[in-house]
Amino acid sequence: MKKIMKTTTILISTLLTGLLLASCVRDLDRLPTNDVTGPKVYSTELGTRQAFAKVYGAWALTEGDVADIDDGFTGFTRAFFNLQELPTDEVKCAWNDAAVKGLSDGTWDATTVFIAGAYYRSIIQIKYASEFLSNVDKSPIKSEEKEQMKAEARFIRAYQYWVLMDLFGDVPFVTETTPTGKTAPEKIARKDLYDFIVSELKAIEPLLKPARQQEYGRADQAAAQALLARVYLNAEVYTGTQHYAEAAEYAEKVIAAGYKLHGKYRELFGADNHKYTDEIILSIVSDGQNAHSYGSATFLVGASYNKDMRDLLKEKGLLPILGTNSLWGGNRATPTFAKLFGSTDSRNLLLKSTDTIEKLSDFNQGVHVYKYTNVTSDGKPGSHPDYCDMDFPLFRLAEMYLIYAECAARGAADKGKGLDYLNQIRSRAGIAPAGSLELSQIIDERGRELYWEGHRRTDLIRFGLFTSGSYLWEWKGGKASGAAMTADRLLYPIPASDALANPNLRPQSK
């Protein structure tokens, strides 16, 4: 899959010609006309594989395909991370430009640029996948491989629809059968989108390669099962109906596939984490040599450090090198979040600076996090000094253990087994086993295990803690000491540009 990163920039953007999603997606039907059309691309095996690489590659790379937004703001990992983490106790950003406006203090609006970045990147990747599905049958590639590719494209589309469903609720809906041209997509209700995602994942599950038999960076049955477990876990939020038993069932399918917890937590987030497929189920692949982007791994690493923090980590012997020259001084955690950790927890990759955050714009206030690095497990720097090699884990076995444990705590799975899974995670971290299984333990353990991996907003919403006044952290609700937020903060607004361009997304007049 690292090789695929080299080919993603080869595919000509004419694959999207005629597919107008909204005003912010660039109009690709313009002069000078490019003669590398869709039919030509899919007439050869090479062209088909390049188109398939594009479906995956859009996770990590951008090509100026969103108008009026800096490419660095439309990369999926960066935008998804910002929307899932900045409004929570796990991350506060020192920057205050239009891109991150209001995310750290819960005062965002429809013009916040990263909201548009996450929205349009998901929409575009859905269109890449749908365009591939509508053309691949014309390809000379052998039928068995073709069907495999189609199942993977459907998985990626289902994943991006989950992202939209989770972040925005009701969104525009397109598939390979949607008419192309300048017709505005219809809006699908959140519950109906939930049904579509579940149906798609169940349909493709047997079509994907068995768990751990696919090449690295490509979706297999375990990836589909892991996404199903995650979707079912949050079903009550999405639809009003609980499906915890189903969440436990699919988490157990992944667990039974032969994965195991990797021995060293810290190695899962370094420059050579592609080696650790014992625990990592699927990642967004980065490559410092061949995939230059500020929207993926380079952002996660670079935004975590400044020069002073780097020097202090080196002085304390906590992190002799970072493996990168990118020191942006952007993201740190809140002091409230840091209280979840004990000093002996091996996941405690936090360096306390202050007990409060009086100024969001001061990177030196708060708690610094050194979870992500561009350093290999043997202490060597990544392949490039400015762009990082670390892959972003979309699914890990530890999440499946925690999903099962939560469902057990909610009375929908075996409590003995759930407690054992929870304690396996705690054992790796070097902390004492839990004696019982309680929901309050689960949300805290998810914070300790999965922090900065794009889960926290969704988790806090599921536990009723995201907007309520029962759990406060620094700058929640726009106040330095924290305050409750209004219910409208549970979803992000459709970007103003798309709401204007697509009449189907506007509120219906009464």
Side-chain angles (χ1 to χ4, degrees):
M1 180 52 78
K2 292 281 189 180
K3 293 179 180 178
I4 286 182
M5 301 301 293
K6 299 179 182 180
T7 67
T8 56
T9 56
I10 298 175
L11 185 63
I12 305 301
S13 60
T14 47
L15 286 173
L16 290 182
T17 298
L19 300 177
L20 182 66
L21 296 171
S23 63
C24 263
V25 175
R26 290 194 184 279
D27 185 354
L28 299 172
D29 190 13
R30 59 184 186 270
L31 296 176
T33 302
N34 195 313
D35 64 356
V36 184
T37 61
K40 287 188 178 181
V41 169
Y42 289 95
S43 67
T44 67
E45 292 190 7
L46 175 61
T48 304
R49 291 195 173 93
Q50 289 174 342
F52 182 63
K54 180 67 177 181
V55 177
Y56 274 102
W59 259 336
L61 298 174
T62 59
E63 298 179 31
D65 42 13
V66 179
D68 302 322
I69 303 179
D70 187 291
D71 265 10
F73 301 153
T74 66
F76 173 73
T77 304
R78 184 173 182 176
F80 181 67
F81 176 93
N82 283 340
L83 268 57
Q84 286 287 76
E85 298 288 1
L86 264 58
T88 77
D89 55 341
E90 288 189 354
V91 185
K92 289 290 163 270
C93 185
W95 308 325
N96 193 32
D97 54 38
V100 297
K101 181 183 67 175
L103 291 177
S104 288
D105 63 3
T107 63
W108 64 80
D109 60 34
T111 65
T112 300
V113 177
F114 272 115
I115 293 177
Y119 177 84
Y120 286 118
R121 179 53 49 194
S122 295
I123 292 286
I124 286 171
Q125 195 163 8
I126 287 166
K127 287 305 299 182
Y128 283 144
S130 296
E131 177 71 3
F132 178 84
L133 289 166
S134 68
N135 283 282
V136 67
D137 284 336
K138 307 167 188 174
S139 169
I141 284 181
K142 292 181 180 179
S143 177
E144 182 178 355
E145 182 180 3
K146 193 182 299 182
E147 293 305 308
Q148 179 65 42
M149 288 178 167
K150 288 164 70 173
E152 292 176 55
R154 290 170 70 184
F155 168 82
I156 291 174
R157 183 174 64 185
Y159 177 88
Q160 293 304 139
Y161 268 131
W162 165 73
V163 170
L164 291 175
M165 175 179 68
D166 188 85
L167 295 175
F168 298 97
D170 302 349
V171 294
F173 182 71
V174 294
T175 68
E176 67 273 25
T177 63
T178 302
T180 60
K182 297 187 180 294
T183 301
E186 296 291 331
K187 181 171 69 174
I188 187 170
R190 198 182 204 189
K191 185 182 184 304
D192 294 334
L193 184 54
Y194 169 91
D195 291 339
F196 171 81
I197 293 168
V198 169
S199 175
E200 277 287 274
L201 291 172
K202 286 185 173 181
I204 64 175
E205 180 186 355
L207 305 178
L208 294 164
K209 283 192 175 182
R212 310 190 73 199
Q213 294 185 28
Q214 178 61 281
E215 68 177 298
Y216 178 77
R218 291 177 62 178
D220 59 12
Q221 289 179 7
Q225 292 159 357
L227 182 53
L228 270 168
R230 190 183 292 177
V231 171
Y232 277 132
L233 183 68
N234 294 285
E236 188 172 13
V237 174
Y238 302 146
T239 71
T241 302
Q242 297 179 359
H243 284 283
Y244 293 117
E246 291 90 341
E249 174 191 352
Y250 278 91
E252 184 71 355
K253 283 187 177 185
V254 179
I255 294 167
Y259 293 96
K260 61 181 181 180
L261 294 179
H262 183 67
K264 295 182 179 180
Y265 178 82
R266 190 168 176 175
E267 291 182 345
L268 296 169
F269 311 101
D272 58 349
N273 63 343
H274 63 278
K275 299 190 302 186
Y276 302 123
T277 55
D278 46 354
E279 177 170 350
I280 296 175
I281 298 163
L282 182 65
S283 292
I284 294 178
V285 178
S286 294
D287 185 331
Q289 286 294 323
N290 300 299
H292 292 178
S293 170
Y294 292 116
S296 191
T298 303
F299 160 74
L300 291 173
V301 176
S304 302
Y305 308 92
N306 65 3
K307 182 179 181 298
D308 291 341
M309 181 185 171
R310 178 200 63 189
D311 295 343
L312 185 58
L313 288 168
K314 185 176 181 179
E315 177 186 324
K316 289 179 174 291
L318 296 172
L319 206 60
I321 63 171
L322 301 179
T324 181
N325 295 328
S326 297
L327 302 171
W328 303 350
N331 294 331
R332 74 283 198 198
T334 68
T336 296
F337 175 72
K339 293 176 183 177
L340 293 180
F341 291 88
S343 59
T344 62
D345 193 324
S346 65
R347 301 165 299 185
N348 186 358
L349 303 176
L350 311 178
L351 187 63
K352 189 174 181 180
S353 179
T354 61
D355 292 324
T356 61
I357 301 178
E358 298 299 328
K359 292 178 62 178
L360 275 174
S361 59
D362 187 349
F363 177 71
N364 293 317
Q365 293 186 14
V367 178
H368 294 127
V369 177
Y370 55 101
K371 178 169 180 171
Y372 294 116
T373 73
N374 194 38
V375 180
T376 65
S377 55
D378 58 358
K380 297 178 181 177
S383 66
H384 196 285
D386 298 314
Y387 300 99
C388 296
D389 291 329
M390 185 207 71
D391 299 339
F392 180 63
L394 291 176
F395 301 99
R396 293 196 287 119
L397 175 65
E399 182 196 355
M400 299 300 108
Y401 279 173
L402 288 166
I403 287 177
Y404 190 97
E406 180 178 334
C407 294
R410 294 182 184 275
D414 184 274
K415 285 195 173 182
K417 186 181 288 187
L419 182 60
D420 175 62
Y421 289 154
L422 177 67
N423 282 331
Q424 285 189 49
I425 291 173
R426 292 171 67 90
S427 176
R428 175 175 66 178
I431 57 177
S436 62
L437 198 61
E438 308 293 339
L439 279 176
S440 59
Q441 293 173 310
I442 301 298
I443 184 63
D444 289 349
E445 202 65 53
R446 286 185 68 93
R448 287 186 285 266
E449 178 66 29
L450 301 172
Y451 68 103
W452 285 38
E453 295 180 56
H455 297 274
R456 192 62 168 174
R457 172 189 157 274
T458 301
D459 289 347
L460 291 173
I461 289 173
R462 185 172 68 256
F463 278 81
L465 300 174
F466 185 64
T467 57
S468 76
S470 60
Y471 177 51
L472 301 179
W473 57 84
E474 293 78 2
W475 290 102
K476 178 178 180 178
K479 294 186 178 180
S481 59
M485 295 190 289
T486 54
D488 66 312
R489 301 292 92 177
L490 292 171
L491 288 171
Y492 289 105
I494 297 293
S497 52
D498 211 32
L500 287 172
N502 185 348
N504 297 324
L505 301 180
R506 301 170 196 163
Q508 298 297 312
S509 59
K510 295 181 180 181

